Amino acid sequence: MRKEKKMKVKRIVALSLVSVMLGLSVMGCKDKGGENTKETTTKKEEVNYMELNKTEVGLKLYYDMTLTEEGMIKDQSGNGNDGKLYIPNNATVEDNVLFLQEGSYVRLPDELFVGEDTLTISMWLKNYSGAVNTSAMFFGLKKANPNSYWLLNPCNPAGQMKSVFTNAVDASAPYKTEVGVSPSVSSNGVEGPYTGMEWNHYVTVITKDSITSYFNGEKVGTSELKRTVSDFGDSLVAYIGKSSYANDPTYTGFIKEVKVYDKVISDNEIKELYEEGKDDMSKTGTETEIFIADRADPYITLGNDGYYYFTASYPMYGHSDAEGYDRIILRRATTIEGLKDAEEIVIWDEKNCDTEHRFIWAPEIHYIGGKWYVYYASSGSSNNVWDINCHAIMCTGDDPYTDPWEEKGKFQAAEGDTFSFTGFSLDMTYFECNGRSYVIWAQNGGNSNLYMAEIDPDEPWKTITPAMLLTKPEYYWEKVSIPVNEGPSVVIHDNKVIVAFSASATGPEYCIGLMYADVNADLLDKSSWTKMSEPGLTSEDLIDEYGPGHNSFTVDEEGNTIFVYHSRAKECYEGKCGYGHEDPLYDPCRSARIRKVVWDENGLPILNQ
């Protein structure tokens, strides 16, 4: 039936062209009674029809993300290949962009790819699934372990583009037969480019003997095929946003302009497709120089002694580094700029303590109740680095740079609070508002959430109120790879208490969110807080830096509000730093950077300018 249908389409096109030629020979004639009154209209219709066939022949499907009232994604190619949107409550369409999350996907007509041995598939994606085994587009067998398929993963677990075709039949491990870009067995294809959180253009060309993929207009590579789409059989399914694999997560992210052709699109045409679309979807950020290299979770404060103090997590240079994440460092200078080259000293080392061990994370130095304290996280077990909880040390003198420090131990919860500082807690910060002192920290409460409590400044290593859940991961940008809220910091401005926090896993998906409350509100009442639904700073807002997060606020010498944060350089993001194979926590390339805060008309910070 498919061959007959294709023959019919070709015949119609041929007849149309013949009709056009015949029409051109007739249109110059006149009726005996005068001008041919249909001449102008006929010419216009025929010219348009010829132009349509010139530009659209071979286009099987075109989604500009028009959504019908029946929940269908409208096919604008004229071929009737509308897609059905499933779980529409978890999807939105706005400005011709489809957003999918939490299990939503589009099912394409089952017959769309049957017998189509020559294909070009083009789509724009802005991925928020993270580096996982997900599929943005798929066609193949409807099996929990499909042995015949093509799929596009915008960011595989290694952080790279994947576009693969099963080149043999293996019912037990079909993924081992993949060929193409970033196949599961790497020797079966070519390595794909690293992809980020911005808009990217993905194209795959499939023929009877090859699969070729393109990323942002550039060819990635070609692999030989021994099978065709026809070899997959007639019982195919096709999806946008998922695959048939039972255990693969669905795609989370944005999709724009999906096109499927039953012909080969040339390299130049693919480049043109990219150039046409990139102006609307290209990255438009700003560039910030590294302030202090290899220092994550940076914290700067201006002391009452006139010095700026800087501390941060001391890095690990790979997972086998025995010295990383094992100390608290401190710098000081009379200017923020002076911190860049200031001497860095160690004020505390876990090797001198019997009850605390690596990993020492996210120290912050605060002046509370007339004394200097450092809040930080460390492990309570030498053989379990994830036995992490909040701890404190106190300076015994007035000079935090030269005077000794003593341990105050693990943070203590208020009487009756059996939750706080159990299991896993870290990233504590401190602020004072209207004469009351508060701490905010991250803790495992099913996910990494933020909690808040009041403290007594005379004993600021203890809470005096039960923990209040301040925020948990809710939005797509907070749940990339791992649902996370952590790294809180506080600034008070224009009668608002503003909390910036970090979200998602620590790769390029890491970003900064914002929430705020009125300074006169009950800050321990969750209803006093408003959480912004969009992030304040992401990788997309930056040029050649990735994964901005874990910031702090301070003021410069002119009184401007400054925020300090860490991010990874392009070299690290592309795996060229020597630590690209490591878990992101074990590479040292998260560096401190500083930016000036711009305030909007509502008194909220604009971090991405």
Side-chain angles (χ1 to χ4, degrees):
M1 291 296 292
R2 173 159 292 276
K3 290 183 179 178
E4 292 176 1
K5 181 179 179 182
K6 291 177 73 174
M7 289 177 64
K8 183 178 180 182
V9 170
K10 291 178 180 177
R11 186 182 178 200
I12 290 172
V13 172
L15 288 173
S16 298
L17 294 175
V18 170
S19 300
V20 169
M21 289 187 288
L22 290 174
L24 288 174
S25 66
V26 171
M27 276 187 267
C29 299
K30 298 181 181 179
D31 293 334
K32 291 182 180 179
E35 298 285 343
N36 183 350
T37 57
K38 293 185 178 180
E39 180 177 354
T40 304
T41 304
T42 306
K43 282 183 177 180
K44 181 178 180 180
E45 289 175 351
E46 286 168 347
V47 169
N48 285 346
Y49 189 80
M50 291 179 71
E51 184 66 21
L52 175 67
N53 279 281
K54 177 182 175 183
T55 59
E56 300 296 329
V57 166
L59 184 64
K60 286 179 62 66
L61 175 149
Y62 171 37
Y63 289 168
D64 66 356
M65 301 310 160
T66 297
L67 183 63
T68 70
E69 293 181 357
E70 294 77 24
M72 304 294 288
I73 303 296
K74 183 69 175 176
D75 176 19
Q76 305 293 353
S77 75
N79 293 314
N81 289 315
D82 297 352
K84 173 66 174 177
L85 179 60
Y86 283 81
I87 317 182
N89 290 340
N90 293 339
T92 58
V93 174
E94 185 174 346
D95 296 329
N96 296 109
V97 174
L98 171 65
F99 173 65
L100 300 176
Q101 66 172 335
E102 297 180 352
S104 58
Y105 64 94
V106 178
R107 182 162 180 174
L108 307 177
D110 290 348
E111 70 277 6
L112 180 65
F113 294 102
V114 174
E116 296 290 357
D117 294 336
T118 301
L119 289 163
T120 299
I121 303 168
S122 165
M123 64 194 313
W124 283 89
L125 299 170
K126 185 177 178 183
N127 172 46
Y128 271 88
S129 293
V132 296
N133 287 315
T134 190
S135 173
M137 194 165 180
F138 169 97
F139 68 81
L141 298 183
K142 188 179 182 181
K143 294 182 178 180
N145 204 31
N147 58 36
S148 298
Y149 59 83
W150 167 81
L151 70 79
L152 170 67
N153 181 350
C155 188
N156 72 1
Q160 297 165 289
M161 171 190 176
K162 176 175 182 174
S163 178
V164 292
F165 191 98
T166 50
N167 211 22
V169 176
D170 185 338
S172 61
Y175 57 90
K176 292 183 178 179
T177 75
E178 295 172 351
V179 298
V181 172
S182 302
S184 295
V185 179
S186 59
S187 59
N188 289 348
V190 299
E191 191 176 78
Y194 289 90
T195 58
M197 313 299 291
E198 65 270 16
W199 281 106
N200 291 306
H201 186 220
Y202 302 81
V203 176
T204 298
V205 178
I206 299 170
T207 69
K208 290 184 177 182
D209 54 18
S210 67
I211 177 171
T212 305
S213 293
Y214 300 76
F215 179 73
N216 288 340
E218 299 296 329
K219 183 184 291 186
V220 178
T222 299
S223 295
E224 181 182 349
L225 292 182
K226 299 177 181 178
R227 302 178 74 205
T228 65
V229 175
S230 293
D231 293 330
F232 289 0
D234 296 335
S235 301
L236 302 185
V237 291
Y239 305 106
I240 293 175
K242 64 167 288 187
S243 74
S244 289
Y245 271 106
N247 295 324
D248 283 358
T250 55
Y251 171 78
T252 297
F254 301 86
I255 304 168
K256 184 178 175 71
E257 198 176 75
V258 177
K259 292 184 175 181
V260 177
Y261 300 84
D262 62 2
K263 66 177 183 177
V264 172
I265 301 297
S266 70
D267 291 0
N268 287 337
E269 289 173 309
I270 290 170
K271 186 73 172 179
E272 288 175 5
L273 283 174
Y274 170 65
E275 293 294 335
E276 289 170 3
K278 75 173 185 177
D279 290 340
D280 292 334
M281 293 167 278
S282 60
K283 192 172 181 178
T284 55
T286 56
E287 187 173 3
T288 306
E289 293 183 355
I290 290 176
F291 179 62
I292 299 178
D294 299 354
R295 292 295 180 268
D297 314 320
Y299 188 86
I300 295 177
T301 191
L302 176 60
N304 56 5
D305 55 4
Y307 282 107
Y308 284 97
Y309 290 93
F310 170 89
T311 188
S313 294
Y314 186 80
M316 283 185 72
Y317 290 86
H319 72 279
S320 60
D321 182 2
E323 297 298 319
Y325 292 142
D326 66 345
R327 66 196 72 180
I328 298 174
I329 57 93
L330 192 65
R331 300 185 185 198
R332 76 173 176 184
T334 55
T335 64
I336 291 179
E337 187 68 18
L339 292 170
K340 291 179 66 173
D341 301 314
E343 179 189 11
E344 185 173 282
I345 65 171
V346 178
I347 62 172
W348 186 84
D349 195 309
E350 58 88 26
K351 68 184 179 183
N352 299 319
C353 179
D354 295 331
T355 59
E356 298 178 40
H357 309 274
R358 293 201 306 168
F359 287 22
I360 312 302
W361 280 337
E364 292 191 4
I365 182 168
H366 296 278
Y367 193 70
I368 308 171
K371 293 184 178 294
W372 286 102
Y373 294 87
V374 172
Y375 291 156
Y376 61 98
S378 65
S379 178
S381 173
S382 61
N383 59 5
N384 181 6
V385 298
W386 299 110
D387 182 20
I388 298 289
N389 275 294
C390 299
H391 290 72
I393 57 175
M394 181 186 75
C395 183
T396 58
D398 295 327
D399 188 338
Y401 198 71
T402 60
D403 289 335
W405 291 78
E406 69 176 25
E407 298 152 14
K408 306 309 292 186
K410 178 181 171 180
F411 228 85
Q412 300 174 37
E415 185 176 353
D417 181 356
T418 59
F419 170 74
S420 297
F421 319 117
T422 59
F424 187 97
S425 66
L426 72 168
D427 291 357
M428 178 170 282
T429 195
Y430 163 85
F431 72 99
E432 184 272 334
C433 182
N434 289 334
R436 298 173 68 178
S437 297
Y438 302 92
V439 289
I440 304 174
W441 70 97
Q443 184 164 333
N444 184 0
N447 296 309
S448 178
N449 306 323
L450 290 184
Y451 297 88
M452 181 175 171
E454 189 174 355
I455 62 168
D456 181 345
D458 292 333
E459 293 184 314
W461 57 90
K462 302 177 182 179
T463 59
I464 59 174
T465 62
M468 183 269 288
L469 174 61
L470 182 62
T471 174
K472 62 181 180 180
E474 302 168 76
Y475 301 111
Y476 67 94
W477 49 271
E478 300 177 281
K479 299 186 287 186
V480 184
S481 298
I482 309 171
V484 169
N485 282 174
E486 63 180 18
S489 61
V490 179
V491 62
I492 298 177
H493 176 80
D494 196 20
N495 291 318
K496 292 182 178 68
V497 180
I498 302 162
V499 176
F501 60 93
S502 300
S504 291
T506 58
E509 62 272 16
Y510 209 46
C511 62
I512 297 175
L514 295 166
M515 59 191 311
Y516 62 92
D518 188 276
V519 291
N520 295 312
D522 180 358
L523 300 182
L524 293 177
D525 181 350
K526 192 174 186 305
S527 65
S528 299
W529 293 88
T530 298
K531 182 176 177 179
M532 309 298 287
S533 61
E534 297 293 332
L537 186 68
T538 71
S539 294
E540 192 176 5
D541 300 316
L542 305 169
I543 298 296
D544 292 343
E545 53 178 299
Y546 300 85
H550 206 119
N551 74 294
S552 60
F553 292 97
T554 189
V555 293
D556 66 13
E557 296 86 334
E558 287 76 41
N560 300 304
T561 303
I562 301 295
F563 77 100
V564 193
Y565 68 101
H566 74 234
S567 65
R568 287 182 171 82
K570 183 179 181 180
E571 181 185 39
C572 179
Y573 162 71
E574 293 181 342
K576 300 176 181 177
C577 63
Y579 299 93
H581 63 287
E582 298 277 0
D583 183 291
L585 284 173
Y586 300 145
D587 79 62
C589 301
R590 295 179 295 168
S591 296
R593 304 176 193 252
I594 59 175
R595 295 163 71 89
K596 185 182 293 186
V597 175
V598 177
W599 299 99
D600 70 13
E601 65 276 10
N602 298 313
L604 295 173
I606 301 174
L607 304 182
N608 59 358
Q609 287 192 355

